[in-house]
Amino acid sequence: MTGPPATGPLPVNLASPAKDVRRLDRVIIRFAGDSGDGMQLTGDRFTSETASFGNDLSTLPSFPAEIRAPAGTLPGVSSFQLHFADHDILTPGDAPNVLVAMNPAALKANIGDVPRGAQIIVNTDEFTKRAMSKVGYETSPLEDGSLDGFSVHPVPLTTLTVEALREFDLSRKEAERSKNMFTLGLLSWMYHRPTGGTERFLRAKFGKKPEIMKANLAAFHAGWNFGETTEDFAVSYEVAPAAQAFPGGTYRNISGNLALSYGLIAASRQADLPLYLGSYPITPASDILHELSKHKNFGVRTFQAEDEIAGIGAALGAAYGGSLAVTTTSGPGVALKSEAIGLAVSLELPLLVVDIQRGGPSTGLPTKTEQADLLQAMYGRNGEAPVPVIAARTPGDCFAAALDAARIALTYRTPVFLLSDGYLANGSEPWRVPELDELPDLRVQFATGPNHTLDDGTEVFRPYKRDPQTLARPWAIPGTPGLEHRIGGIEKQDGTGNISYDPANHDFMVRTRQAKVDGIEVPDIEVDDPDQARTLVLGWGSTYGPITAAVRRLRAGGTAIAQAHLRHINPFPKNLGAVLARYDKVVVPEMNLGQLATLVRAKYLVDAHSYNQVNGMPFKAEQLTDVLEEVLHAD
């Protein structure tokens, strides 16, 4: 979008009486139901229309790890939370203002997060005795007074959907599947969302099944008209576009995995190199493989390997052959790839290792988020095998982080860890599409001939002769005449690359590889400190949104507090030590048990206050606000 777009025509029942319209500055909605109820699709479509309208937004999808969890059970609940506003926001919100509960399990699983006074829309058709007993309701929560503190809207969503689709040649079961579109239509009416994008989406998605397409469109419009005509919804709400939140430009809604995919493609184009992805499917990284496989027109080649080791082996072979090589995974896959990452360190070839972190250990929590792979990325290899580590901080920032990771890998001839997590990967936000001239020039020079002269005057190629500035070795495309050289995992002799067991040479090569990583040029860390505070909050990765939201709350109440956020974790920015020394207290919130805090304490001897959470969910802004207040007021 370029500026706030028009909403387009809306299906309105003109005969209905006018209803009140209230203006809000922000809303948090959570759609919840069975994993087969289409809550992720409903949330995604509502998000897309909200983005096209011009609101700032942040989302939090949450779904079971099972492909199809048992229907009607608490483990089978899938939800999608969306926070949208007329101003700049940073998180998907702490607590929903509106909960849409498609069944008793969805209500019970989410009611604890809903504040008193919030609106709850429940699908009364699903509140049968059997469905309620399955999740432990002895009496109906719709009748026993337990929801008296909320504004409850009982709506027979299933019945209304089936009734709206009577004219179609569909079974009742087929008609019931459209209840998510009825719900989407109702919520679109409540919050004055555009409808054109959803209508186009349904026509495209079900174009080969015209009866299903028409049924979904009819259910969507029926939901809209139900909101317009029913007496239960006497008020609709407007949230104006966030006109002041965005600099000028063209925007789109984007998830972290999609932004990272686009960043990799942009990096390959800016480097004028083919992009090669060697990968094995794993949640929550698989979407990158799916997306990149669509872009052969940009010279992208994707290889779905038989396992994690084969995936990185193929990627490393592609790097040897002159491609911008990538392997994507999550924590369990990193463990399997560790020896090959060490091989990439020894071979000194550019390789991007993308780790979309999730809860662990082992297979852990496949669909939940965590930041607990930091020390694995730093040290999870045998021997001294230093690897640069960078981390994205928002879904849109995954694009820039991918470009930055490619810059380091190509310039310094090294594997690079790029850390994201499930929260960023599946969440979304508005993202400004960059202009082409804003992208960095990543072109590299391959070795083309001899680079060393022997004492007798013979010119030879030395594969480990280094650039004096970057300590990077030459990148020689195999098959180039005169550039033949040995390759493999045994230690190399300095310069020649021949196999070497010499102790002094090994010591030199280990220290040189470490010096190369230590010498990588990264920007200084920027500190947001308008009031000369004495306490600094230091974060990394996806904690950026909650930390920034908490800092804003404290400053709004008159509290002086500083904030800094790390993109580069290995090496650290050169000014980080001086920044930390300026503050009496340093607080490090992390979704792990204190991994960055451990690194900071060890390197800078700073008594960092570590605040940790490992429950599979991102921090809430209010939670961090309370924690920071305690630290600020502690002796």
Side-chain angles (χ1 to χ4, degrees):
M1 62 185 179
T2 305
T7 60
L10 301 174
V12 185
N13 187 327
L14 298 177
S16 63
K19 295 190 177 185
D20 290 340
V21 178
R22 294 179 188 171
R23 185 75 174 266
L24 302 175
D25 64 348
R26 67 185 186 96
V27 175
I28 304 168
I29 299 174
R30 184 181 297 178
F31 300 91
D34 265 337
S35 57
D37 282 340
M39 293 297 93
Q40 301 304 318
L41 175 61
T42 304
D44 183 68
R45 290 314 314 159
F46 195 94
T47 298
S48 295
E49 298 293 9
T50 296
S52 71
F53 186 71
N55 296 119
D56 195 12
L57 62 89
S58 179
T59 68
L60 178 62
S62 179
F63 40 86
E66 292 81 7
I67 294 174
R68 185 65 174 93
T73 64
L74 294 175
V77 173
S78 174
S79 68
F80 188 104
Q81 184 162 304
L82 165 67
H83 182 193
F84 62 102
D86 66 1
H87 57 278
D88 177 31
I89 58 172
L90 297 153
T91 75
D94 290 357
N97 308 118
V98 181
L99 171 65
V100 179
M102 302 297 282
N103 60 18
L107 179 64
K108 187 158 192 177
N110 291 281
I111 191 64
D113 295 334
V114 184
R116 294 286 173 170
Q119 298 190 67
I120 301 176
I121 300 172
V122 291
N123 180 13
T124 55
D125 289 327
E126 296 297 321
F127 279 71
T128 63
K129 185 174 181 179
R130 182 175 181 274
M132 289 187 290
S133 64
K134 192 181 290 188
V135 296
Y137 280 129
E138 296 182 1
T139 60
S140 172
L142 307 181
E143 300 172 355
D144 63 9
S146 60
L147 300 180
D148 286 350
F150 305 95
S151 176
V152 180
H153 300 277
V155 182
L157 291 170
T158 306
T159 300
L160 289 170
T161 303
V162 172
E163 180 67 20
L165 303 184
R166 274 193 310 171
E167 65 183 88
F168 297 95
D169 185 21
L170 300 173
S171 67
R172 180 179 176 86
K173 186 175 182 180
E174 288 173 328
E176 287 179 2
R177 289 175 181 162
S178 296
K179 63 181 180 288
N180 64 326
M181 287 297 106
F182 187 99
T183 305
L184 178 59
L186 172 58
L187 270 293
S188 297
W189 170 82
M190 282 183 66
Y191 292 97
H192 294 227
R193 298 297 90 187
T195 62
T198 295
E199 292 168 348
R200 289 190 296 272
F201 169 82
L202 292 174
R203 290 190 180 98
K205 182 175 179 64
F206 300 109
K208 296 182 179 179
K209 299 177 180 179
E211 195 74 2
I212 300 296
M213 176 192 70
K214 293 175 183 177
N216 276 284
L217 285 168
F220 179 60
H221 293 154
W224 177 283
N225 286 323
F226 176 77
E228 183 69 18
T229 57
T230 182
E231 294 182 1
D232 191 39
F233 293 92
V235 178
S236 64
Y237 304 90
E238 283 186 350
V239 181
Q244 304 302 317
F246 305 117
T250 300
Y251 285 81
R252 60 158 294 164
N253 184 50
I254 202 165
S255 68
N257 274 350
L258 184 57
L260 202 154
S261 300
Y262 288 175
L264 294 174
I265 296 171
S268 75
R269 294 298 82 210
Q270 293 302 105
D272 196 22
L273 297 174
L275 178 64
Y276 184 95
L277 174 66
S279 183
Y280 180 74
I282 183 171
T283 302
S286 299
D287 286 342
I288 301 172
L289 171 60
H290 301 158
E291 182 61 33
L292 290 180
S293 68
K294 303 174 185 177
H295 297 286
K296 295 179 182 177
N297 57 313
F298 287 114
V300 179
R301 284 173 285 182
T302 53
F303 170 55
Q304 181 175 318
E306 65 270 27
D307 56 40
E308 296 280 5
I309 299 172
I312 190 173
L316 189 53
Y320 178 57
S323 292
L324 175 58
V326 185
T327 189
T328 52
T329 190
S330 190
V334 174
L336 294 167
K337 295 177 189 291
S338 61
E339 183 181 1
I341 297 171
L343 175 59
V345 171
S346 177
L347 297 181
E348 300 189 46
L349 288 171
L351 174 69
L352 302 188
V353 181
V354 178
D355 178 7
I356 313 296
Q357 300 165 95
R358 71 190 205 188
S362 187
T363 47
L365 302 172
T367 60
K368 305 301 179 184
T369 196
E370 207 165 88
Q371 286 185 299
D373 294 352
L374 178 57
L375 293 183
Q376 182 186 32
M378 287 286 292
Y379 302 119
R381 294 163 296 283
N382 62 297
E384 294 288 346
V387 173
V389 179
I390 72 173
R393 65 183 188 178
T394 69
D397 185 54
C398 290
F399 178 88
L403 284 164
D404 201 9
R407 172 190 69 86
I408 293 172
L410 295 172
T411 303
Y412 296 90
R413 311 285 198 270
T414 178
V416 177
F417 260 100
L418 171 53
L419 300 181
S420 176
D421 59 41
Y423 172 38
L424 296 184
N426 297 315
S428 63
E429 66 176 355
W431 171 68
R432 188 180 71 84
V433 180
E435 299 294 334
L436 188 60
D437 59 8
E438 296 174 355
L439 301 180
D441 184 350
L442 300 179
R443 287 173 294 182
V444 297
Q445 293 293 324
F446 291 109
T448 57
N451 61 358
H452 183 77
T453 304
L454 300 177
D455 291 342
D456 63 3
T458 304
E459 291 187 336
V460 297
F461 175 66
R462 288 207 161 173
Y464 280 82
K465 184 172 185 177
R466 301 180 182 278
D467 181 290
Q469 299 298 319
T470 65
L471 298 183
R473 77 173 187 91
W475 194 0
I477 302 298
T480 305
L483 303 190
E484 297 84 0
H485 59 281
R486 288 182 174 87
I487 204 78
I490 302 293
E491 181 63 281
K492 313 294 184 297
Q493 184 182 54
D494 176 43
T496 68
N498 295 332
I499 292 173
S500 173
Y501 296 100
D502 177 63
N505 179 80
H506 178 61
D507 182 273
F508 177 82
M509 294 296 276
V510 166
R511 294 179 185 276
T512 300
R513 289 189 290 260
Q514 183 66 59
K516 180 172 69 170
V517 173
D518 291 342
I520 291 172
E521 290 188 9
V522 301
D524 283 349
I525 190 169
E526 297 181 358
V527 184
D528 177 18
D529 185 7
D531 303 309
Q532 301 300 303
R534 301 310 310 155
T535 298
L536 172 72
V537 189
L538 180 67
W540 71 278
S542 66
T543 57
Y544 172 78
I547 289 174
T548 306
V551 166
R552 287 181 180 179
R553 292 187 184 193
L554 289 169
R555 289 177 182 170
T559 300
I561 189 166
Q563 176 189 1
H565 209 78
L566 284 166
R567 157 69 63 75
H568 300 92
I569 302 174
N570 192 34
F572 282 132
K574 289 183 173 56
N575 68 330
L576 180 58
V579 166
L580 297 174
R582 295 206 304 259
Y583 294 92
D584 298 334
K585 297 177 181 178
V586 176
V587 186
V588 186
E590 297 180 78
M591 292 187 295
N592 56 47
L593 294 183
Q595 297 186 17
L596 176 64
T598 296
L599 296 175
V600 167
R601 289 178 187 134
K603 185 170 181 65
Y604 301 107
L605 303 181
V606 170
D607 185 20
H609 299 257
S610 188
Y611 178 71
N612 310 112
Q613 172 176 295
V614 282
N615 61 6
M617 298 297 289
F619 286 117
K620 294 181 178 180
E622 182 178 4
Q623 167 192 4
L624 287 183
T625 302
D626 293 341
V627 168
L628 295 176
E629 281 185 334
E630 289 181 13
V631 172
L632 285 162
H633 296 118
D635 294 331

